[in-house]
């Protein structure tokens, strides 16, 4: 589909891809732009320093593990293609190994709602904490995302290996190990 920039963030990403295209075309370089979809990993140790800018899976798992309600924009039906960081790391290695040039999506081709994410976290932690629904504080919020990684698969054979349910279990596991009373 045609790519449009509606926010400064989107414009910066599009500009990066155009610069890469320029270098590939005019300096005989292999430059691949990988579009990562909602990359996540655990909070403690890797995302904690980002605070409110950490990935939502890590933020919500941390909040729920502490007995707090995560805040969801709108009604929580917005969806994301959540991609585990280990799958992203493998994608980067393959892009380099195959000396790719071009722009490729890296995601799972599956979308989960934020409500479903909260349910999975509650299931993994053995908790029952409802989210707090709040109004989105800014314009340009994207309601749904989902990658089509077929071009990247065709070029490298890459497929995601960590499903979202397993990924949520991995994110939640340290909370269960650190707090035996939650078992």
């Amino acid at each position: 589909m045609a790519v449009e920039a509606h926010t400064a963030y989107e414009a910066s990403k599009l500009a990066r891809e155009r610069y890469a295209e320029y270098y590939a075309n005019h300096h005989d370089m292999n430059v691949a732009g990988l579009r990562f979809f909602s990359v996540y990993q655990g909070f403690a140790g890797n995302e904690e320093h980002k605070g409110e800018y950490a990935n939502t899976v890590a933020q919500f798992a941390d909040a729920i593990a502490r007995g707090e309600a995560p805040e969801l924009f709108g009604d929580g039906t917005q969806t994301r293609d959540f991609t585990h960081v280990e799958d992203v790391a493998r994608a980067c290695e393959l892009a380099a190994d195959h000396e790719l040039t071009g722009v490729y999506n890296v995601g799972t081709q599956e979308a989960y709602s934020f409500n479903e994410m909260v349910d999975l976290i509650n299931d993994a932690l053995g908790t029952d904490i409802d989210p707090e629904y709040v109004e989105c504080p800014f314009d340009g919020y994207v309601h749904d995302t989902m990658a089509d990684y077929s071009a990247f698969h065709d070029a490298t054979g890459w497929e995601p290996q960590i499903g979202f349910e397993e990924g949520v279990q991995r994110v939640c596991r340290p909370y269960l190990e650190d707090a035996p009373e939650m078992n």
Side-chain angles (χ1 to χ4, degrees):
M1 71 177 67
V3 177
E4 296 178 2
H6 297 284
T7 66
Y9 175 78
E10 292 168 349
S12 72
K13 297 298 183 184
L14 188 56
R16 176 197 58 155
E17 291 175 2
R18 296 291 78 89
Y19 275 114
E21 182 180 39
Y22 164 77
Y23 279 96
N25 290 334
H26 297 285
H27 296 287
D28 196 30
M29 298 174 70
N30 294 98
V31 184
L34 302 180
R35 293 180 179 164
F36 304 136
F37 282 70
S38 298
V39 180
Y40 69 97
Q41 62 181 352
F43 191 70
N46 297 310
E47 291 281 307
E48 190 171 12
H49 70 282
K50 295 180 182 177
E52 68 181 289
Y53 298 105
N55 69 77
T56 55
V57 178
Q59 286 182 39
F60 292 2
D62 189 65
I64 291 171
R66 290 183 284 113
E68 299 173 6
E71 289 187 351
L72 300 185
F73 295 150
D75 62 3
T77 61
Q78 63 273 30
T79 62
R80 295 291 179 269
D81 183 337
F82 296 103
T83 312
H84 195 275
V85 69
E86 288 181 25
D87 285 327
V88 168
R90 280 187 318 99
C92 292
E93 290 174 1
L94 285 170
D97 290 347
H98 286 81
E99 298 180 351
L100 295 183
T101 294
V103 177
Y104 301 90
N105 292 332
V106 176
T108 67
Q109 292 183 184
E110 295 181 3
Y112 287 82
S113 74
F114 280 68
N115 287 325
E116 290 172 311
M117 179 199 348
V118 170
D119 288 344
L120 288 170
I121 292 169
N122 273 315
D123 288 347
L125 293 174
T127 54
D128 187 23
I129 297 179
D130 291 326
E132 178 183 337
Y133 298 101
V134 299
E135 187 174 326
C136 184
F138 53 88
D139 291 334
Y141 184 73
V142 176
H143 195 274
D144 303 295
T145 66
M146 187 171 65
D148 174 357
Y149 68 82
S150 58
F152 192 64
H153 175 268
D154 291 348
T156 66
W158 180 91
E159 292 183 354
Q161 294 182 350
I162 301 172
F164 191 51
E165 293 89 351
E166 177 187 343
V168 169
Q169 291 286 332
R170 288 182 181 198
V171 168
C172 293
R173 192 170 298 130
Y175 296 106
L176 297 173
E177 293 167 357
D178 291 342
E181 68 275 4
M182 293 180 74
N183 290 329

